Amino acid sequence: GALSGEVTITRLRPGDLALASISFAPSELFLERDNKRLAMRPTGGTVTLDADTLTVAPLTFDLSTPAGVTGSITLHGQAAQATSDPKLDFDADLQPLDLGVFVGIVPKLLSAKGTLDGSVHAGGLARDPTVQGGLRVRGGELSIKNVPGAITGLDADVIADKSELRITKATAKFAGGTVNITGRTPLK
């Protein structure tokens, strides 16, 4: 991997980071493993610490694999009281991601087609954050080891918050029929 960029320090007093004014403008950031690459898109976004608030201007990261599977995640938000008891207000938006990226990562998943998109919000105190968001699968086709036949026509909506995970809609074709699922489960 690599990380490079320009750091600008406008104000920094030893022992008093809360009053610092520091900006980081990344020009390159990437991680690579087994020919799978996560790379920051050049957007001009910055990360700043000013008046004890850490702010992340929109930064977009692209995922790619040798098989041509791609997807993007955009991260933005801030953390107030960053140097003492951070209060989070961050969002991550997942642009449509090819489900094929999960082959080789998810055990027994032999092949996958379709798209996954969604968003997640992290808020509250960093020591006890609240996380909520949702994911959507559209046009899914899955082949799973030791499962007779493929799962096709998969469309699903999943919503989660601090207390529960909800499948608000899930439909698919399997073994000559149509499967419809809704449900919820507590997370705590």
Side-chain angles (χ1 to χ4, degrees):
L3 170 65
S4 62
E6 184 176 312
V7 175
T8 303
I9 301 173
T10 306
R11 183 178 54 252
L12 180 60
R13 293 182 185 161
D16 199 358
L17 197 54
L19 294 177
S21 181
I22 303 169
S23 177
F24 176 62
S27 57
E28 179 182 38
L29 169 61
F30 76 88
L31 302 170
E32 193 164 358
R33 181 176 178 191
D34 298 329
N35 291 323
K36 294 177 182 164
R37 183 178 174 101
L38 180 69
M40 184 190 71
R41 191 182 296 168
T43 61
T46 60
V47 178
T48 60
L49 176 63
D50 190 37
D52 205 22
T53 298
L54 177 73
T55 302
V56 178
L59 297 174
T60 300
F61 298 89
D62 295 317
L63 171 68
S64 61
T65 69
V69 177
T70 61
S72 299
I73 298 171
T74 300
L75 176 67
H76 55 94
Q78 66 180 21
Q81 299 175 351
T83 63
S84 56
D85 196 12
K87 294 180 181 176
L88 307 177
D89 185 16
F90 284 100
D91 292 294
D93 301 311
L94 177 65
Q95 286 79 37
L97 174 70
D98 187 322
L99 290 175
V101 74
F102 296 106
V103 175
I105 297 172
V106 175
K108 299 186 180 184
L109 184 62
L110 301 175
S111 67
K113 294 180 182 176
T115 60
L116 171 71
D117 67 70
S119 62
V120 176
H121 176 80
L125 296 174
R127 62 182 146 79
D128 186 26
T130 58
V131 178
Q132 60 188 22
L135 295 173
R136 291 168 295 284
V137 174
R138 295 293 180 259
E141 294 184 21
L142 308 174
S143 178
I144 303 169
K145 185 177 181 180
N146 298 326
V147 173
I151 298 168
T152 62
L154 174 62
D155 288 330
D157 295 331
V158 179
I159 297 172
D161 59 29
K162 189 173 184 173
S163 61
E164 71 179 0
L165 176 73
R166 294 182 303 281
I167 300 172
T168 59
K169 174 189 102 168
T171 62
K173 302 223 182 286
F174 178 68
T178 300
V179 178
N180 293 300
I181 298 173
T182 60
R184 61 181 55 202
T185 186
L187 294 176
K188 285 193 174 187

